[in-house]
Amino acid sequence: MKKFLIGLGTLFVLLILALAIAPFLLKGKIESAVNTALDENLNADVYYDSEQFSLSFFKDFPNLTVSMGDFGVVGHAPFEQDTLAQIGEFSLSVNVGSVLSGSIALNEIILDRPDIRVKVLKDGSTNYDIAKSDETAVEERPEESSGGSGASFSIDHWEIIDGKLSYDDFGSQMHLVIDGLQHQGEGDFDQDIFDLSSHTQIGEMSFAMEGTEYLHKRALEADATINIDLPHMKFTFKENTLRLNELALGFDGYVAMPAEDIEMDLTFASKDNSLKAVLSLIPEEFMKDLEGFKSDGEFDIHGHAKGIFNDNQMPAFGLSVNVEDGKIQYPDLPTAIRNLNMAMEIENKDGIIENTSVNIPKFHMDLGKNPIDAKLLVKDLKKYNIEGNLKGTIDLADLSDLAHQEGLTMKGIYKVDISADGYYDSLTNTIPKLDGSMSLANGYFQTADFPIPVKNVGFNASLKSPEGKMSTAYLKVNDFKMTMEKEVFDASMLIQNFNNPSWDVKAKGNIDLGTMAKAFQLDSMELSGKIYADIVTKGKMSDLEAEAYDKLPTSGKVTLSNLYYADADLPQGLRIANAEANFTPKTITLSGLTGKVGNSDIAVNGKLKNYLAYALKDETLTGDINFNSKRFNLNQFMVEETEAEKGKAETKDPETAEGVVEIPKNINMVLNANIKETIYDEMTLTDLKGKIILKNGIASMEGLTFNTMGGQIALKGAYNSSNPKDPTFDFDFDMSNIDIPQAYKSLNTVRAAAPVAKNMNGKFNTKFAMKGSLLQDMTPNFDALNGGGDIKIKQASVNNSGLVQGISSISGFSSSNKTIDLKDVIMSTKIENGRVKVQPFDVQIGEYTATIQGSNGFDKSLDYKMNVVVPTGGLGDEANKVISGLLGGNTKAVPDAMRFKFDIGGNYDKPTYKLAGTESITTKTSSEKRQEDREQKKDVKDEAKKILDNLF
């Protein structure tokens, strides 16, 4: 007996050891088999912690428990960066004996901390489609297909612990988030007919679609027992409850899927739900503070669906909703919705959606002391047979209290009484017969965004369609009135023929711009003044769409008085004392506009045409405007840049064109300017007259003349901003009697092109053409500047020039006069690609004549040649000795004058002088010239005598 017990104990120990050791011996093979199966069947990367891969008989003896830790699935392109599933621990318990018998029995499956993230892209791609297709999956092994046809599968229990689920469909803009999912269930899938029991809890569930959030962190709980008939694929609801927030529903009936069609016979109903339970489902988008509500009343909802559902058919369905003695109120407000009673029936008896009817035979509520009643019946959703009416009186003060919006105040009595009876059919332009009236008396409106109250608002309106046709329907609004800060505004409106709406609108009243600035809290600007409008407009929508604006009679006038406007871009302010605009369908006539911009007076009148097409269709606005001013100071519009602004300008994208003055392309206008005095930088222009034509993004000047810099200028040409990234100009200047010092001081182009003018005095005339492009700061691009013309100087001089000293230092000649004189000089000048090129012209350097030609750049670089004729007496003793030495000491051979050739280079600030060569010039006395003449005559006589002798 003792040996038996020892043997039995030894056997038991060996069995325990075998159970403990077997998983370790089989772990490698099982893990390898799992990896192979995953790789052969999934088009995804699967990862898990191999250290947490385990097998055990002891966790659920005698079953084998397989566990995997930190388990996850990541898809392939385009989802290679997205994790489909991440599970803290995945385990299943298998009945080993069932595997051997061919009937696999799973005792338990547990997902601990699963995080499932489903994504659907706009093109329909899904990250959960990871199963390999039949073509790519590994072919079934022969030994696997040769038998085992009787294998079965069953599971006793499954569980999800603390799960998360997100679903993002970017095509339909549908988003679902579930957090805190607890679920467990059980059922014997080895049986043909069995009960599946489950319990589900969701801590937070949010659902949004197309930007509207319908559920926000709502709780859900469901207990369900469903009888499953696998041979007939029939699922019958037994005991079950679905609770979403506070709304609880119960389901009864069945759903069957014997083939492709889905058969159903379902009913559902609320379970002792209050009105508050329904309000708990109101989307967060529409009810931010549900906890603030008090609600009472009885609520009942029930419905059914019976029939077949497939791609071409729907089941019959119905829904009933009833509310009795409802009440809704914020706890801190005196006004409540009381006596809320409603009955609604939605019925479809055959599954054809057009045969659905919606019937609300009863709707009543008291908004404070104001009763509102309505009823509605809609039959046939194809032709929409509608019968209903709405009648009520609303004290807007009660509605303001109910709205509970900070800063909102509403007052007044609003009445409505509308009835409808008939069909709506858009194909035949048929609408129900309408008979409605609306009115508002003693209205008062004020909001946080519009703090200036609008008072005494009132109107009477009627909406009618006596024949049930859109063509004879009309909306009429009479006696519309409102007051804002003592300013009264009146209007009336008639809209007829809803097929092709025509309108007749009249509006008259005053608008205080200062009040509007306060109302809209325009703190960044100063605005005051008054507008009076008296406008009548009529027309048809068809004419508006056809752009037949001449058939839209609009008339009336708008007057403006004492307007003042200033902001950061116009700190000097705009003042308009008076202005009047008269309207016709084609023209706005502007007259009597007088005022000031800063310290500049303005007077404007003229006409604008095609203004309706310009305002409504962005077409071209045409006009002819006269602009007059006694003194217009352009300097007040020129603000010096701060260092910070300069730094920003340096970092701007060169592709932008923020600094360019852009002429609108849809403006075709003539501006007739007459300005007595114009101030620009340090220039004063007087008697400026001419035309500026704006068209296609181009400003053209015609006949523009003015006096400045001591002379007169006539200007014609164009500034082209049609390409704002590369604005260009092309101008012809006719300048006469212009003072050279003033030109140098006033004109940047003169300073850049002729820096020598800094030390000049005198006047010049010129007809000069110039064209090129402008940089983004509206300064010329000198590298691409081209032009030319003759500059005529009657009398001028250059004082304190370093030129005389420079050439004297290398040539040795001297002059008692250091001034360079120009008299009756014509300088033929060209500007090509950033250089000013000058043809030869003569100047007087003291008692010497010099001829100059060459070019200089806008970068102040110099490249000139100058020839100076100097008598040898002006060279000095030392220079004459050098020349005599070169002639072998023959002082009689020293020439009477020398021509010096100089090259002038460097730049204007640091010029360089080089003696490029000299030429001797010998002058002859009168007696020498007479002796030479006698000798030439004698030679001629001798030659003639020879010719005669030869002939005879």
Side-chain angles (χ1 to χ4, degrees):
M1 185 67 181
K2 182 178 180 180
K3 291 182 179 180
F4 174 75
L5 292 174
I6 293 173
L8 184 60
T10 301
L11 180 61
F12 181 74
V13 170
L14 292 174
L15 181 60
I16 295 298
L17 288 173
L19 292 174
I21 294 172
F24 292 99
L25 297 177
L26 299 174
K27 176 183 177 182
K29 292 183 178 181
I30 294 176
E31 183 177 357
S32 177
V34 169
N35 291 338
T36 300
L38 292 173
D39 183 62
E40 290 178 350
N41 292 280
L42 297 182
N43 188 26
D45 296 327
V46 179
Y47 64 89
Y48 60 88
D49 187 351
S50 60
E51 297 296 327
Q52 298 186 49
F53 183 89
S54 65
L55 292 86
S56 174
F57 281 104
F58 296 109
K59 289 184 179 181
D60 189 19
F61 186 81
N63 300 309
L64 176 64
T65 301
V66 181
S67 300
M68 302 174 70
D70 289 337
F71 176 84
V73 180
V74 178
H76 291 167
F79 301 102
E80 65 271 17
Q81 301 297 324
D82 299 319
T83 299
L84 170 61
Q86 183 172 330
I87 302 171
E89 183 179 3
F90 167 71
S91 65
L92 58 86
S93 176
V94 184
N95 186 309
V96 178
S98 68
V99 176
L100 298 176
S101 65
S103 177
I104 301 175
L106 295 179
N107 186 54
E108 185 177 62
I109 296 178
I110 298 176
L111 299 179
D112 187 3
R113 290 166 287 123
D115 187 355
I116 312 299
R117 304 170 187 176
V118 178
K119 290 188 177 183
V120 181
L121 302 183
K122 290 183 178 181
D123 62 2
S125 303
T126 60
N127 68 335
Y128 58 82
D129 185 12
I130 59 175
K132 289 186 176 180
S133 61
D134 293 340
E135 291 80 6
T136 59
V138 176
E139 294 183 2
E140 187 178 14
R141 295 180 178 88
E143 60 270 21
E144 293 176 346
S145 60
S146 60
S149 59
S152 61
F153 170 81
S154 66
I155 182 172
D156 292 335
H157 177 79
W158 61 91
E159 186 172 357
I160 297 174
I161 303 171
D162 197 17
K164 294 182 180 181
L165 171 65
S166 65
Y167 176 86
D168 294 302
D169 188 333
F170 297 98
S172 63
Q173 301 182 51
M174 183 187 302
H175 305 280
L176 172 69
V177 177
I178 293 175
D179 198 1
L181 172 62
Q182 315 293 338
H183 172 79
Q184 54 184 340
E186 56 185 25
D188 189 355
F189 283 86
D190 197 32
Q191 304 297 319
D192 288 340
I193 301 175
F194 62 94
D195 286 344
L196 185 151
S197 300
S198 67
H199 174 75
T200 303
Q201 280 185 307
I202 295 176
E204 295 179 349
M205 181 169 64
S206 300
F207 176 75
M209 188 170 184
E210 295 183 348
T212 300
E213 192 170 28
Y214 294 95
L215 294 174
H216 180 70
K217 296 184 177 181
R218 298 297 192 224
L220 180 143
E221 184 175 0
D223 287 292
T225 299
I226 302 174
N227 181 261
I228 297 178
D229 183 351
L230 289 177
H232 300 93
M233 289 298 289
K234 184 177 181 180
F235 307 89
T236 303
F237 287 93
K238 298 175 79 171
E239 294 296 326
N240 61 85
T241 299
L242 172 67
R243 184 179 298 276
L244 184 58
N245 262 19
E246 299 181 30
L247 177 64
L249 297 174
F251 292 83
D252 197 6
Y254 72 90
V255 175
M257 296 178 286
E260 293 184 0
D261 292 342
I262 300 176
E263 299 176 5
M264 64 182 68
D265 187 356
L266 291 174
T267 61
F268 67 91
S270 56
K271 292 187 174 183
D272 299 325
N273 286 305
S274 65
L275 183 59
K276 184 178 181 180
V278 179
L279 295 177
S280 72
L281 300 182
I282 294 177
E284 195 77 8
E285 183 79 12
F286 310 116
M287 192 63 66
K288 300 293 184 183
D289 189 15
L290 188 61
E291 298 299 326
F293 270 112
K294 287 183 179 180
S295 60
D296 292 312
E298 296 182 4
F299 168 80
D300 175 67
I301 181 172
H302 58 272
H304 66 274
K306 184 176 182 180
I308 294 175
F309 178 80
N310 55 36
D311 292 339
N312 302 310
Q313 187 175 353
M314 289 184 61
F317 60 90
L319 176 69
S320 297
V321 179
N322 289 277
V323 179
E324 293 186 3
D325 300 324
K327 176 184 176 182
I328 300 173
Q329 182 181 22
Y330 274 103
D332 56 346
L333 291 179
T335 302
I337 295 176
R338 304 175 186 273
N339 299 324
L340 176 60
N341 292 275
M342 183 187 72
M344 181 177 70
E345 297 282 342
I346 299 176
E347 186 72 27
N348 182 287
K349 297 181 179 180
D350 56 11
I352 300 174
I353 195 67
E354 289 84 356
N355 296 336
T356 303
S357 65
V358 179
N359 186 19
I360 305 177
K362 176 180 68 174
F363 179 89
H364 173 86
M365 71 176 186
D366 293 329
L367 180 59
K369 298 178 181 180
N370 308 298
I372 299 175
D373 293 279
K375 65 178 181 179
L376 176 67
L377 173 62
V378 180
K379 297 184 292 184
D380 186 356
L381 297 188
K382 186 175 182 180
K383 293 186 176 181
Y384 293 96
N385 186 0
I386 300 172
E387 179 183 346
N389 94 302
L390 172 64
K391 184 176 183 179
T393 300
I394 301 175
D395 187 335
L396 296 183
D398 293 338
L399 185 62
S400 179
D401 290 339
L402 184 66
H404 192 52
Q405 292 186 11
E406 185 176 353
L408 173 64
T409 303
M410 294 190 297
K411 299 177 185 178
I413 303 300
Y414 175 75
K415 294 182 179 181
V416 60
D417 188 354
I418 298 177
S419 62
D421 186 8
Y423 289 92
Y424 172 77
D425 187 349
S426 60
L427 297 178
T428 60
N429 295 317
T430 301
I431 60 174
K433 293 180 180 180
L434 299 174
D435 187 2
S437 64
M438 295 161 282
S439 66
L440 176 63
N442 301 316
Y444 179 102
F445 299 91
Q446 185 179 24
T447 68
D449 296 329
F450 200 91
I452 304 298
V454 181
K455 304 177 182 179
N456 303 322
V457 182
F459 66 85
N460 291 290
S462 58
L463 175 65
K464 296 184 182 294
S465 173
E467 300 177 6
K469 297 179 180 179
M470 295 184 69
S471 58
T472 57
Y474 65 88
L475 171 64
K476 188 175 184 179
V477 179
N478 292 324
D479 306 322
F480 177 86
K481 293 185 177 181
M482 58 177 274
T483 303
M484 185 185 300
E485 294 285 278
K486 299 181 180 180
E487 300 294 343
V488 179
F489 187 81
D490 301 327
S492 63
M493 177 179 69
L494 175 63
I495 298 178
Q496 297 175 292
N497 185 2
F498 290 178
N499 277 333
N500 179 22
S502 64
W503 65 87
D504 185 349
V505 179
K506 300 176 182 178
K508 179 172 65 175
N510 292 308
I511 299 174
D512 190 317
L513 296 176
T515 299
M516 299 300 292
K518 293 178 183 177
F520 289 103
Q521 303 180 34
L522 304 177
D523 300 330
S524 61
M525 65 178 64
E526 295 182 58
L527 181 64
S528 61
K530 291 187 177 182
I531 296 176
Y532 173 76
D534 187 355
I535 298 175
V536 177
T537 178
K538 299 179 181 180
K540 294 180 180 180
M541 184 59 68
S542 57
D543 292 331
L544 180 63
E545 292 175 345
E547 303 178 14
Y549 301 114
D550 57 328
K551 297 181 180 179
L552 304 177
T554 299
S555 60
K557 70 176 181 179
V558 174
T559 60
L560 184 64
S561 61
N562 299 320
L563 177 139
Y564 178 76
Y565 174 83
D567 64 6
D569 296 324
L570 193 68
Q572 62 272 24
L574 168 66
R575 297 180 185 273
I576 297 179
N578 295 285
E580 181 175 310
N582 290 278
F583 292 81
T584 69
K586 296 182 179 180
T587 305
I588 296 177
T589 301
L590 184 65
S591 61
L593 190 157
T594 60
K596 282 191 171 184
V597 181
N599 56 13
S600 303
D601 66 284
I602 57 173
V604 180
N605 60 71
K607 292 185 178 182
L608 299 175
K609 299 179 180 179
N610 201 39
Y611 67 93
L612 284 174
Y614 174 76
L616 300 174
K617 295 288 187 178
D618 199 29
E619 292 188 5
T620 300
L621 177 68
T622 63
D624 196 326
I625 300 295
N626 300 314
F627 181 89
N628 299 277
S629 176
K630 295 178 182 178
R631 186 177 188 273
F632 200 82
N633 187 357
L634 291 172
N635 290 338
Q636 61 189 335
F637 300 100
M638 301 169 65
V639 180
E640 186 174 353
E641 284 186 318
T642 64
E643 291 300 321
E645 289 171 337
K646 290 179 181 179
K648 289 181 181 178
E650 291 174 358
T651 59
K652 282 182 181 177
D653 184 349
E655 293 299 314
T656 63
E658 294 183 4
V660 171
V661 177
E662 189 170 355
I663 309 299
K665 295 181 180 179
N666 59 345
I667 296 290
N668 184 357
M669 192 174 299
V670 177
L671 300 177
N672 302 292
N674 187 351
I675 305 174
K676 294 299 182 183
E677 183 181 61
T678 304
I679 308 300
Y680 174 69
D681 200 7
E682 298 184 12
M683 294 175 61
T684 299
L685 285 63
T686 59
D687 293 328
L688 187 151
K689 297 178 181 179
K691 290 184 178 181
I692 302 174
I693 302 172
L694 308 179
K695 186 176 182 180
N696 299 326
I698 301 172
S700 302
M701 287 71 171
E702 289 187 2
L704 191 67
T705 62
F706 52 89
N707 301 325
T708 187
M709 297 178 291
Q712 301 80 40
I713 297 179
L715 174 66
K716 68 176 181 179
Y719 162 69
N720 190 337
S721 68
S722 58
N723 179 8
K725 294 179 181 178
D726 184 26
T728 62
F729 64 90
D730 189 348
F731 290 115
D732 289 332
F733 299 89
D734 188 348
M735 309 171 73
S736 59
N737 211 29
I738 301 298
D739 184 73
I740 295 174
Q742 290 189 50
Y744 180 86
K745 182 180 179 180
S746 303
L747 299 177
N748 182 48
T749 303
V750 172
R751 291 194 295 272
V756 69
K758 180 179 181 181
N759 299 316
M760 291 183 69
N761 58 55
K763 294 179 178 292
F764 72 92
N765 300 332
T766 185
K767 290 184 178 180
F768 209 92
M770 190 178 299
K771 64 179 179 180
S773 61
L774 296 172
L775 302 176
Q776 295 300 298
D777 60 357
M778 294 296 291
T779 59
N781 179 7
F782 290 117
D783 292 336
L785 190 62
N786 292 280
D790 290 340
I791 301 173
K792 300 178 181 180
I793 300 175
K794 183 69 176 177
Q795 182 73 49
S797 61
V798 181
N799 301 311
N800 302 317
S801 172
L803 176 63
V804 177
Q805 183 179 356
I807 62 177
S808 296
S809 65
I810 63 170
S811 64
F813 76 80
S814 60
S815 173
S816 59
N817 190 345
K818 306 298 183 182
T819 300
I820 302 175
D821 294 313
L822 296 86
K823 185 177 181 180
D824 295 327
V825 172
I826 299 177
M827 300 171 58
S828 295
T829 306
K830 283 187 177 181
I831 301 176
E832 293 181 345
N833 299 320
R835 294 199 70 81
V836 180
K837 299 179 180 180
V838 184
Q839 297 298 314
F841 65 95
D842 292 340
V843 300
Q844 199 71 25
I845 302 178
E847 60 269 32
Y848 311 127
T849 300
T851 302
I852 301 174
Q853 65 176 328
S855 69
N856 61 271
F858 287 99
D859 58 357
K860 294 187 177 182
S861 63
L862 302 175
D863 184 10
Y864 279 96
K865 297 184 182 299
M866 182 175 71
N867 295 343
V868 183
V869 176
V870 181
T872 53
L875 296 177
D877 293 337
E878 293 298 325
N880 284 326
K881 289 179 180 179
V882 172
I883 295 173
S884 176
L886 294 173
L887 297 175
N890 185 2
T891 57
K892 293 183 178 181
V894 175
D896 299 311
M898 295 289 294
R899 178 178 288 110
F900 288 85
K901 299 179 180 180
F902 297 98
D903 288 342
I904 304 173
N907 60 64
Y908 184 78
D909 296 325
K910 286 186 177 183
T912 61
Y913 305 97
K914 179 181 178 182
L915 183 59
T918 61
E919 289 182 1
S920 299
I921 301 176
T922 302
T923 60
K924 298 177 181 179
T925 66
S926 298
S927 60
E928 289 174 331
K929 288 183 178 179
R930 286 195 296 270
Q931 178 61 32
E932 184 177 339
D933 289 340
R934 286 195 295 268
E935 291 177 352
Q936 289 178 348
K937 289 179 181 179
K938 183 177 182 299
D939 291 339
V940 170
K941 289 180 179 179
D942 292 342
E943 186 66 27
K945 186 176 181 300
K946 288 179 182 180
I947 294 173
L948 292 173
D949 290 342
N950 291 332
L951 289 174
F952 299 102

